[in-house]
């Protein structure tokens, strides 16, 4: 299971977000899209199990592609953030590796669903992604927006 799988219903979105002949997408590779989606989903706590897997373009992506692009740490951090277990860093444990990949795939699937909703109707995906990132950056946390009476106690 050393491959990152993509849900069949999200495969076209992954393709449209990448560069290919004659078109420019916001991301260079499928791996870049998947990592971005998983990172977005862990922040928004949206983990969705994969049901039907894409076998066509893009099919399952070899984990080595993620390693070669420097994404090993991100995949491990997402697994730790989800499980709160530092054993997710373990190198030579096949069961932990499979669990890490499963967690990453499910967050990537959740992130792709978020992106699909955010990008619906957009003419320029790069511009819309930039707006999403800007709104995330400047969004106040729930605790900052709640009215806190304790500041009046003295």
């Amino acid at each position: 299971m050393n491959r990152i799988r993509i849900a069949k219903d999200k495969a076209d979105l992954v393709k449209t977000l990448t560069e290919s002949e004659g078109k420019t997408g916001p991301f260079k590779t499928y791996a870049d899209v998947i990592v971005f989606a998983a990172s977005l989903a862990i922040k928004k706590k949206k983990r969705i199990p994969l049901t039907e897997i894409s076998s066509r373009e893009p099919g399952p992506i070899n984990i080595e592609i993620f390693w070669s692009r420097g994404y090993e740490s991100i995949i491990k951090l997402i697994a730790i953030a989800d499980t709160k277990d530092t054993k997710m860093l373990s190198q030579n444990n096949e069961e932990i590796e499979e669990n890490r990949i499963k967690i990453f795939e499910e967050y990537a699937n959740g992130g792709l669903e978020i992106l699909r909703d955010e990008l619906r109707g957009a003419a320029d995906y790069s511009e819309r992604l930039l707006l999403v990132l800007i709104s995330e950056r400047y969004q106040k946390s729930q605790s900052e927006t709640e009215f806190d009476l304790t500041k009046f106690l003295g």
Side-chain angles (χ1 to χ4, degrees):
M1 182 174 172
N2 288 332
R3 295 186 169 277
I4 304 295
R5 301 166 306 157
I6 299 167
K8 188 176 184 176
D9 66 328
K10 314 282 186 341
D12 286 339
L13 174 62
V14 173
K15 285 194 311 196
T16 60
L17 288 170
T18 55
E19 292 181 354
S20 64
E21 305 107 30
K23 74 171 188 73
T24 57
F27 300 97
K28 287 208 175 289
T29 68
Y30 296 143
D32 297 336
V33 175
I34 299 303
V35 170
F36 180 82
S39 301
L40 180 64
I42 191 82
K43 182 176 185 339
K44 297 202 176 253
K45 297 174 176 42
K46 187 160 188 156
R47 182 177 172 183
I48 301 173
L50 281 76
T51 50
E52 205 172 347
I53 307 300
S54 174
S55 56
R56 300 180 302 126
E57 186 75 17
I61 305 166
N62 192 314
I63 195 76
E64 296 300 322
I65 292 172
F66 290 86
W67 291 178
S68 72
R69 296 192 66 77
Y71 294 140
E72 182 176 9
S73 297
I74 294 171
I75 292 170
K76 288 179 178 179
L77 286 171
I78 287 172
I80 291 170
D82 181 73
T83 62
K84 311 286 188 262
D85 186 359
T86 56
K87 288 181 186 152
M88 285 291 145
L89 292 173
S90 182
Q91 291 288 22
N92 299 320
N93 185 320
E94 201 169 303
E95 184 180 331
I96 288 174
E97 176 74 12
E98 285 179 19
N99 194 21
R100 242 191 335 245
I101 289 172
K102 179 179 184 240
I103 291 167
F104 179 71
E105 286 175 337
E106 291 179 355
Y107 275 109
N109 193 35
L112 289 169
E113 188 165 291
I114 293 167
L115 288 172
R116 184 172 58 195
D117 292 343
E118 291 285 345
L119 299 173
R120 186 170 285 130
D124 182 349
Y125 286 165
S126 296
E127 186 177 297
R128 182 69 64 91
L129 278 175
L130 187 57
L131 291 172
V132 168
L133 291 173
I134 289 169
S135 73
E136 283 295 319
R137 181 174 183 194
Y138 292 107
Q139 189 176 53
K140 291 187 183 289
S141 70
Q142 184 69 18
S143 62
E144 289 179 54
T145 59
E146 289 179 0
F147 188 72
D148 185 9
L149 291 174
T150 60
K151 63 184 174 186
F152 294 109
L153 300 176

